[in-house]
Amino acid sequence: MKYLFTINLIIFCLLDTYSQDKKDFKISGGFSAGGELYDVSGIPERRSPYSYNVNGYVVFSYKDFSLPVSASYRDAQFSYDYTFNRFGITPTYKWIKLHLGWSNLNFSPYTYSGRPFYGIGIELTPGIFYFGAMAGKIRNPLAIRDTLVYGSSLVPSYDRKLKGIKVGLRKAKNKLELMAVKIEDDPESFEYPDNYTQTYGYQVLTPKENICIGLNGAITLFKRLDIYANTGVSAFTADRNDSLLITYGSEVPSFIKGIFQANTSSRITLAGDGGANFRFKGHKIGFKYRRVDPFYATLATNYFQNDLEQYTFILGTQFWKRKVRLDGQLGIEHNNLTKLRTNTTDRIIGNLNANINFSEKLQTSLQYSNFQTESVNEILQLNDTLRFVSSSNNYGLYTNYLIKKDSRQLTFNLFINYNTVRDQSEFEQIGDVNIFSAGLAHGYTFEENDLSLFPSINYNQYNYRGISQVRYGGGIKINKKFFDKRLSLSLGTNLFTNKYDGLNDGWSSNFALNTVFKVGRKSSLAFNNTYRIQNSTVNRSFREVRSVLRYNHRF
């Protein structure tokens, strides 16, 4: 509400301008509203039984000035669904942009990576100069993340405040940027209720604080050589209430204490990457180095893997009159940078993408990649913290074949995918997993009848912890348009047989009926329905229904 006066003043000025000069004044936007009904039997509810949402945007434009205004509201009543409303405007005039309400900026992957914030921000881009700043609040993900032990629940948490600034020089692909971000939880915004332990288990949430400083740079030389670097330093305090403070030495400037007071739960870590790419006649060679300290984390980025060091060579080339394109990376990676783990993993990493265009009708893509993922379920910080490290190999084959004659079109799509996951945790948790998937989809399109048919077959096999699960079957989807294409109807169904360690585990099926009716040139009404049946002898059988009605209008 504190922005309401400013918003009304701006809109009043725009409308006054509109009355004086209609030619340069434009208004565009869109609006949508919808509701959802959900019902399930046989298992606990996985969604709210009913919910609704409204969202829209309006863009006021006058010559070099534009004022986008967006708003959304959603209401759902269930454990891990939540009610929210968002409103934001981003007025722009030449090289000046304001952010009011809900918005986002993007500083760097190691400091602040574009997570939505609620507050105020500004971006100035006069010529080669860049200045960006923001202040407000960001949503604490602990409040909406599921736990692995207690299931889904909304956990009360601290209000999380955000401040940031970024300055730099930019020209074409060249840039030099310096940024700083401070995120802190407000200790006074949350108190443990009397029934907290009984309701949420033994989670202990603590107010956190984080200061990140980043430096990004890139330069292009001779129009062919690209050199870049991204770095970040994170000072992270896990518990602001910790009273055991760290005493700074005389070599530390006194103003540092006013910015960041470390305690025994604090840590300072580094992360960054850099490299170079050389491009010539459709080819590319390069090198990349990346290092992320153990436990590197920020409160303004999504989680990413840490405790690793990578050296990677990059190659891209094409031949056979550009019908074949190869892009790949090959390198080495190791963890345990501080030598505190009981084991160290050294491995060769890489990926390869091969795209082959045999003709206009036939295209094939071959893919291979191996990578490592590491996850921490951060909502529980003590005994319930589950951590695993895994390496994965992925092999893929994708082929498309197209035949088109007059107003008829025939397509074939084949895919084969094999994925292996190796559990490399110090204490095995999920074990090794092998996943094999294959499928063939066929499509008939009759343009003169506005009719399309898409039959398909699929096979999936999962092997883990000595258990084998197989799922195979097929389905069909039919699309048809009526009344001069004003009404679009889509009907789909599939049926799969399930096996568990060679034994029959019943079957599963899905039915979908989707309709879209064009009310006018800029308006449409959509009604989507899905019905799922799971008939199992090993797991729980259930039936699930979901219906969504939505109206859309643009102007």
Side-chain angles (χ1 to χ4, degrees):
M1 295 300 293
K2 60 182 179 180
Y3 303 117
L4 187 58
F5 176 77
T6 303
I7 295 169
N8 288 334
L9 179 62
I10 294 175
I11 294 176
F12 174 79
C13 294
L14 289 172
L15 293 177
D16 182 67
T17 303
Y18 174 69
S19 65
Q20 300 178 23
D21 191 353
K22 300 180 180 180
K23 181 179 179 180
D24 295 322
F25 190 89
K26 298 179 181 179
I27 300 177
S28 61
F31 167 83
S32 67
E36 176 181 332
L37 297 177
Y38 172 83
D39 184 58
V40 66
S41 61
I43 61 173
E45 291 180 330
R46 299 189 288 186
R47 302 181 63 87
S48 298
Y50 60 89
S51 63
Y52 62 89
N53 59 81
V54 180
N55 59 74
Y57 69 96
V58 180
V59 180
F60 301 94
S61 301
Y62 178 73
K63 294 184 178 180
D64 294 328
F65 178 83
S66 66
L67 177 65
V69 181
S70 63
S72 62
Y73 180 81
R74 176 180 182 269
D75 181 74
Q77 307 297 325
F78 196 53
S79 60
Y80 52 78
D81 288 332
Y82 54 95
T83 298
F84 73 85
N85 59 83
R86 291 186 174 182
F87 180 84
I89 63 174
T90 53
T92 303
Y93 179 71
K94 294 186 177 180
W95 45 266
I96 303 174
K97 178 184 286 189
L98 293 177
H99 300 265
L100 301 175
W102 280 102
S103 190
N104 66 79
L105 298 175
N106 194 358
F107 281 10
S108 80
Y110 300 111
T111 55
Y112 168 65
S113 59
R115 284 186 50 193
F117 71 92
Y118 178 75
I120 185 171
I122 186 172
E123 289 184 278
L124 306 177
T125 56
I128 65 173
F129 298 97
Y130 176 86
F131 174 83
M134 76 282 194
K137 296 181 179 181
I138 60 175
R139 187 179 295 276
N140 189 337
L142 298 180
I144 60 176
R145 186 174 296 176
D146 297 346
T147 71
L148 297 179
V149 173
Y150 288 95
S152 304
S153 61
L154 280 176
V155 178
S157 63
Y158 299 92
D159 290 339
R160 182 158 290 176
K161 300 178 180 179
L162 169 73
K163 296 178 181 178
I165 186 172
K166 179 179 180 180
V167 294
L169 301 173
R170 297 175 175 179
K171 185 177 181 180
K173 294 183 179 180
N174 305 318
K175 67 177 181 179
L176 180 63
E177 302 170 334
L178 177 66
M179 65 214 69
V181 181
K182 182 175 183 179
I183 312 100
E184 57 183 350
D185 292 340
D186 182 2
E188 305 299 327
S189 64
F190 171 72
E191 293 183 1
Y192 286 95
D194 296 335
N195 63 342
Y196 185 88
T197 302
Q198 291 80 7
T199 305
Y200 302 108
Y202 50 83
Q203 296 105 319
V204 177
L205 300 181
T206 57
K208 298 176 173 56
E209 182 180 10
N210 181 215
I211 294 179
C212 302
I213 299 175
L215 179 65
N216 298 341
I219 187 171
T220 299
L221 302 176
F222 317 114
K223 297 181 179 181
R224 296 185 182 277
L225 179 62
D226 300 322
I227 303 173
Y228 62 92
N230 304 289
T231 61
V233 180
S234 176
F236 191 99
T237 297
D239 185 2
R240 295 185 64 190
N241 291 331
D242 191 337
S243 59
L244 298 177
L245 304 180
I246 302 298
T247 302
Y248 292 114
S250 59
E251 67 277 4
V252 178
S254 58
F255 72 89
I256 294 294
K257 292 184 179 180
I259 299 175
F260 182 78
Q261 176 58 65
N263 57 35
T264 56
S265 71
S266 302
R267 61 178 183 266
I268 298 178
T269 50
L270 307 175
D273 63 73
N277 294 312
F278 182 69
R279 298 170 281 105
F280 61 99
K281 296 182 179 180
H283 309 287
K284 180 177 69 174
I285 58 174
F287 172 80
K288 181 178 181 180
Y289 171 76
R290 182 170 184 252
R291 177 190 170 99
V292 183
D293 281 351
F295 306 108
Y296 183 90
T298 80
L299 297 177
T301 61
N302 296 323
Y303 178 82
F304 52 85
Q305 182 186 348
N306 56 46
D307 191 13
L308 64 85
E309 190 173 38
Q310 298 174 337
Y311 301 85
T312 309
F313 290 95
I314 303 168
L315 176 64
T317 186
Q318 57 187 14
F319 50 89
W320 197 13
K321 297 181 179 179
R322 298 186 177 183
K323 291 185 177 181
V324 178
R325 177 71 193 184
L326 299 177
D327 291 284
Q329 299 183 39
L330 182 65
I332 57 176
E333 174 190 284
H334 71 93
N335 62 359
N336 198 13
L337 303 185
T338 55
K339 307 300 181 183
L340 296 178
R341 291 189 177 190
T342 58
N343 64 333
T344 301
T345 301
D346 296 286
R347 54 195 298 266
I348 297 176
I349 59 173
N351 62 67
L352 176 65
N353 294 313
N355 296 302
I356 308 172
N357 296 315
F358 293 99
S359 65
E360 293 183 355
K361 298 181 179 180
L362 179 62
Q363 295 87 36
T364 295
S365 176
L366 299 170
Q367 298 179 3
Y368 168 78
S369 68
N370 73 334
F371 53 90
Q372 179 172 300
T373 60
E374 182 170 348
S375 68
V376 176
N377 187 25
E378 293 184 348
I379 197 164
L380 301 182
Q381 302 171 19
L382 297 177
N383 299 331
D384 193 31
T385 297
L386 302 181
R387 178 191 185 101
F388 71 89
V389 181
S390 65
S391 63
S392 176
N393 293 274
N394 184 276
Y395 308 82
L397 168 65
Y398 308 89
T399 298
N400 302 313
Y401 185 71
L402 170 65
I403 301 176
K404 189 171 184 179
K405 185 177 181 181
D406 298 329
S407 60
R408 299 186 179 185
Q409 182 173 294
L410 182 63
T411 60
F412 294 90
N413 300 292
L414 171 69
F415 78 90
I416 300 175
N417 187 271
Y418 180 65
N419 185 270
T420 64
V421 180
R422 299 288 177 258
D423 188 348
Q424 297 178 336
S425 306
E426 297 183 19
F427 304 97
E428 183 179 281
Q429 297 184 44
I430 64 172
D432 297 342
V433 180
N434 297 319
I435 304 172
F436 175 79
S437 302
L440 176 64
H442 192 23
Y444 299 91
T445 300
F446 305 92
E447 295 181 359
E448 71 276 13
N449 298 320
D450 291 323
L451 176 66
S452 300
L453 306 175
F454 300 97
S456 63
I457 56 175
N458 293 87
Y459 177 87
N460 302 278
Q461 183 173 347
Y462 313 89
N463 297 309
Y464 59 96
R465 289 184 174 179
I467 299 173
S468 176
Q469 285 187 267
V470 175
R471 182 173 180 262
Y472 58 88
I476 187 171
K477 183 179 180 181
I478 304 173
N479 296 334
K480 173 65 177 174
K481 294 182 178 180
F482 302 91
F483 309 120
D484 294 328
K485 300 182 180 181
R486 294 189 63 184
L487 176 63
S488 299
L489 179 67
S490 177
L491 177 65
T493 184
N494 57 48
L495 179 63
F496 289 93
T497 298
N498 304 315
K499 291 187 177 296
Y500 188 90
D501 264 353
L503 302 177
N504 182 35
D505 187 25
W507 53 272
S508 60
S509 182
N510 290 280
F511 302 90
L513 175 61
N514 303 321
T515 60
V516 177
F517 181 72
K518 294 182 179 180
V519 181
R521 188 169 59 91
K522 297 182 178 182
S523 302
S524 64
L525 185 65
F527 187 43
N528 302 326
N529 302 271
T530 58
Y531 179 52
R532 181 182 179 187
I533 303 175
Q534 178 77 34
N535 192 337
S536 175
T537 56
V538 177
N539 300 300
R540 301 179 68 173
S541 299
F542 65 91
R543 283 168 170 75
E544 194 171 39
V545 181
R546 183 185 178 193
S547 297
V548 180
L549 179 65
R550 175 165 293 278
Y551 174 78
N552 298 280
H553 177 74
R554 57 184 178 85
F555 54 89

